[in-house]
Amino acid sequence: MRYYRSSLSLLAACAALAAPVALAAGGGGGGGGAPPSQSSYDPTIDYKKGAEAFAAGRYAEAAKALKRVVAAVPRNPQANYLLGASHLAQGDYSRAVKPLETAVRHDGKMIEARRDLGVVQARLGKADKADRELQALRMMQEQCAVGCSDAAKLADAIARLEAAIAAGPQARAAVAPDMRLPSAAALDPIYVAAVALINEGRYEAAIAKLDAALWAAGPHPDVLTYLGFANRKLGRHDAAEAYYRDALAIAPTHRGAIEYYGELKLERGDLAGARAHLARLDAICGFGCNEADELRRWIEEKAPSAG
Amino acid sequence: MAGALALAVPAVPAAAPPPFETLRWTAPGAELAALTTQPAACLGTASVEIQAGEALFNSPRLLGGQAAKAGLSCAGCHVNGRDNAHFLMAAVSDRAGTADVTHSFFGAARGNGRFDPVAIPDLARPGKVSRDSAGGALESFVRALIVDEFAGREPTPAMLAAIAAYVRAIAPCPDGDPPVRRALDDQLRLTVSALRGAIGMARRGDAAAARALLAAARHQLGLIAERYPAPPFGAERRDLLAASRALADLDGKAADGDGFTTALSTWRAGFENGLAQRLRRHEARSLYNPANLAFVAPQQDNR
């Protein structure tokens, strides 16, 4: 377990989850006043196991770990994709469909998920559904300006899916997943860069970095919280809310998620909801915390008589 | 609680996270040193203003953004106003004792787009900024650090003056600066300094500074709680929490002149004569005692 030094732990200082990458030392100091109510399950641990097994080609082992992640964080696109791709690699196309569909539903821009979902549908003889993914990829290709970073990946995905559709359900060759995961060692620099981008107001770029962090770390509440924050700043309130809820499902006392979700509620005009979040922070932060200060300030500024 | 306390500090399960804030930015292998020792500080006789400055210097909530969320104060890098040879944060440091202070991670205003960590300076030594109180260069520098580098809220002039007074008072010790042991008294002293400062700020009508100092005091109570794990110190932890919440209740009354200062004085007297005494009696069994920190060592470098 890694509990110090990680820059990810800076936000995690607010989290009450003992995560493998960013460890929140809750409980003391300026941290949580109350003992941290640790989540009984940390999905990032199984994600790491699953990702390592996946990268090593041990797909059955990967699927076993990733199933547990998906059960805990059903909307996580990365875990769903890796689970689906693990089934696909084992030739279990029927089982691959649902997680790949989930990955696509929650991250429509995930090229690998659309490609592999299309391949799976082609193998299952569902040409219409395979074609739907092909069309989606082609649309992404059209929207991808000349020289856009995904151009080559999109062209390759389309070619592979076209071949799979042409081969149909008679194809017998195994489908080897084509997905290179960032190493866990890359996580801190990615995360620090993402937070720096957020501080600079470059939210789209930050989201791209945070997505990369999700591939490296799995559904980490710190990363999910900042994805919520960046989406909120871009006005995507529903997406932001989903990220905050996911973060809090994993780490119910995550200070950052509680604060930012409270701010979102305030932006939506839900003063009572924001005040409930502040009360929650005050309960958690027995020795005070920046998150409570900030949310209190927001409430006082937006509703001076209600602070 | 008597007899059972022979085992004052229970073994901490290997998988449990350490409850120490400072380990968030401590280099692997230096945990025990960081928890048990600190650079010496020789302030001499400190005025109330200097005490207030030191309390603010040790308060994460003086800063904003990532630092404040993590519990990182000025003293995180400058322990006792000196340096911190053990400071290490991934992608912010390149080796222990360094930090990239122009990284947008902490605040965008001073971000330069380059990874260029520098050695954390010892504030007891002459630096690049004049300490001369006449020009106000130090106050301007400190303000820029708080607001620009660490995305903190604008400090009041009195807060800046207090921090600058503290920084000017930091000096090398005549005996060659041997590291000194960390102790409960560090936190008790800073708690009282914060309260004295809060009273002083309230008397001059600076409610914002008084509130900042209340926050500083509460933070120190939290640091004490880190060293008194439950069991066996459940009662002390509960009382520390209650003491902190009592200070929180005073936050909204900082502009209330005499009422506020009287309440703070009452709180302080109760704390010093009650809970502080109990904590002192139990200090040898607490995690301030290096002998009780053996569980920290096996967790070194287990990334």
Side-chain angles (χ1 to χ4, degrees):
Chain A
M1 179 163 304
R2 183 175 184 178
Y3 59 75
Y4 42 66
R5 215 175 56 88
S6 169
S7 298
L8 195 50
S9 68
L10 286 182
L11 180 60
C14 335
L17 175 74
V21 179
L23 197 296
S37 63
Q38 296 201 354
S39 169
S40 58
Y41 175 70
D42 177 357
T44 63
I45 293 173
D46 270 328
Y47 181 88
K48 187 180 175 197
K49 286 181 193 167
E52 285 175 355
F54 183 89
R58 302 192 306 271
Y59 299 115
E61 184 184 333
K64 192 175 172 186
L66 291 161
K67 266 185 206 168
R68 292 192 291 266
V69 180
V70 165
V73 195
R75 291 182 297 205
N76 182 252
Q78 289 76 19
N80 272 291
Y81 170 71
L82 292 177
L83 176 59
S86 296
H87 289 314
L88 171 62
Q90 295 176 88
D92 193 345
Y93 306 129
S94 297
R95 281 191 180 170
V97 170
K98 187 180 171 193
L100 288 173
E101 282 181 340
T102 306
V104 166
R105 189 179 316 122
H106 294 291
D107 186 353
K109 291 186 284 188
M110 192 188 290
I111 297 168
E112 296 87 351
R114 288 206 178 274
R115 176 197 67 201
D116 290 352
L117 178 57
V119 169
V120 163
Q121 299 290 19
R123 289 284 173 110
L124 290 170
K126 297 176 179 173
D128 55 334
K129 291 186 175 179
D131 189 62
R132 194 162 66 200
E133 300 310 320
L134 181 61
Q135 296 313 318
L137 286 170
R138 284 180 175 153
M139 190 172 294
M140 289 166 71
Q141 191 178 41
E142 281 176 23
Q143 291 167 350
C144 181
V146 176
C148 99
S149 60
D150 286 332
K153 192 198 270 190
L154 277 164
D156 179 71
I158 288 168
R160 288 184 193 220
L161 183 47
E162 285 173 339
I165 291 170
Q170 288 75 34
R172 288 286 175 269
V175 180
D178 182 15
M179 176 70 203
R180 265 180 280 177
L181 295 170
S183 71
L187 178 58
D188 275 323
I190 292 172
Y191 180 77
V192 166
V195 176
L197 288 166
I198 283 177
N199 285 339
E200 292 168 2
R202 297 161 63 190
Y203 301 115
E204 290 287 11
I207 287 170
K209 289 280 184 192
L210 291 165
D211 279 342
L214 279 184
W215 282 112
H220 195 289
D222 297 355
V223 180
L224 295 168
T225 295
Y226 265 133
L227 276 165
F229 183 87
N231 275 284
R232 186 180 118 222
K233 290 295 180 183
L234 290 168
R236 301 169 191 157
H237 286 182
D238 289 346
E241 182 172 32
Y243 281 121
Y244 293 146
R245 292 172 73 96
D246 282 349
L248 290 169
I250 298 164
T253 56
H254 193 284
R255 292 184 201 165
I258 296 170
E259 177 203 343
Y260 293 145
Y261 195 3
E263 291 172 5
L264 172 63
K265 288 187 174 179
L266 204 56
E267 285 181 347
R268 286 173 156 174
D270 180 5
L271 178 61
R275 292 176 75 175
H277 280 246
L278 177 57
R280 176 93 177 110
L281 282 172
D282 280 336
I284 292 167
C285 301
F287 298 105
C289 63
N290 177 263
E291 293 80 2
D293 292 350
E294 287 296 302
L295 183 54
R296 184 173 289 105
R297 184 173 61 80
W298 268 67
I299 290 172
E300 286 171 354
E301 285 179 2
K302 299 264 180 181
S305 61
Chain B
M1 291 180 53
L5 291 184
L7 291 173
V9 180
V12 173
F20 304 110
E21 185 178 84
T22 192
L23 295 189
R24 293 175 194 151
W25 48 82
T26 295
E31 295 89 344
L32 206 52
L35 289 170
T36 57
T37 62
Q38 58 189 331
C42 292
L43 288 178
T45 304
S47 66
V48 171
E49 184 180 46
I50 290 173
Q51 290 179 46
E54 185 180 16
L56 291 169
F57 192 87
N58 279 271
S59 175
R61 284 151 80 194
L62 177 71
L63 308 177
Q66 295 297 315
K69 288 177 189 297
L72 185 67
S73 66
C74 303
C77 287
H78 302 284
V79 182
N80 270 337
R82 309 301 296 270
D83 54 11
N84 182 354
H86 307 309
F87 184 91
L88 187 71
M89 191 177 290
V92 172
S93 308
D94 62 355
R95 63 186 189 283
T98 67
D100 183 355
V101 294
T102 51
H103 197 300
S104 293
F105 181 70
F106 289 113
R110 303 238 314 225
N112 65 2
R114 294 194 305 275
F115 181 55
D116 48 4
V118 296
I120 295 169
D122 176 357
L123 302 186
R125 312 286 172 190
K128 60 184 179 182
V129 180
S130 168
R131 307 285 173 94
D132 186 348
S133 57
L138 184 57
E139 282 82 350
S140 298
F141 181 74
V142 170
R143 183 207 162 273
L145 282 176
I146 294 168
V147 177
D148 296 337
E149 191 173 319
F150 288 102
R153 310 282 296 164
E154 186 72 41
T156 69
M159 289 166 67
L160 276 182
I163 297 165
Y166 166 65
V167 172
R168 288 189 183 101
I170 299 167
C173 295
D175 57 355
D177 288 344
V180 296
R181 214 179 106 176
R182 289 186 181 272
L184 169 64
D185 195 51
D186 300 332
Q187 272 63 62
L188 294 180
R189 183 177 58 78
L190 285 168
T191 303
V192 171
S193 291
L195 296 179
R196 281 192 187 126
I199 290 171
M201 295 292 184
R203 284 186 176 144
R204 56 198 291 182
D206 192 339
R211 280 197 291 269
L213 284 155
L214 281 188
R218 295 180 69 200
H219 181 69
Q220 293 303 319
L221 296 176
L223 293 179
I224 296 172
E226 288 183 347
R227 304 280 185 154
Y228 287 78
F233 295 114
E236 284 72 19
R237 289 178 67 86
R238 277 193 298 278
D239 289 350
L240 281 163
L241 201 53
S244 172
R245 293 201 188 284
L247 289 179
D249 290 342
L250 294 176
D251 185 271
K253 299 168 185 159
D256 184 20
D258 289 346
F260 176 74
T261 56
T262 301
L264 268 194
S265 298
T266 302
W267 184 98
R268 180 184 155 191
F271 177 72
E272 289 190 311
N273 295 325
L275 181 54
Q277 297 301 326
R278 279 167 51 209
L279 294 167
R280 281 200 171 96
R281 282 200 298 276
H282 295 316
E283 183 173 2
R285 298 204 308 265
S286 77
L287 298 183
Y288 280 106
N289 184 346
N292 296 331
L293 284 168
F295 70 90
V296 171
Q299 296 186 1
Q300 294 178 29
D301 205 10
N302 54 354
R303 287 161 287 157

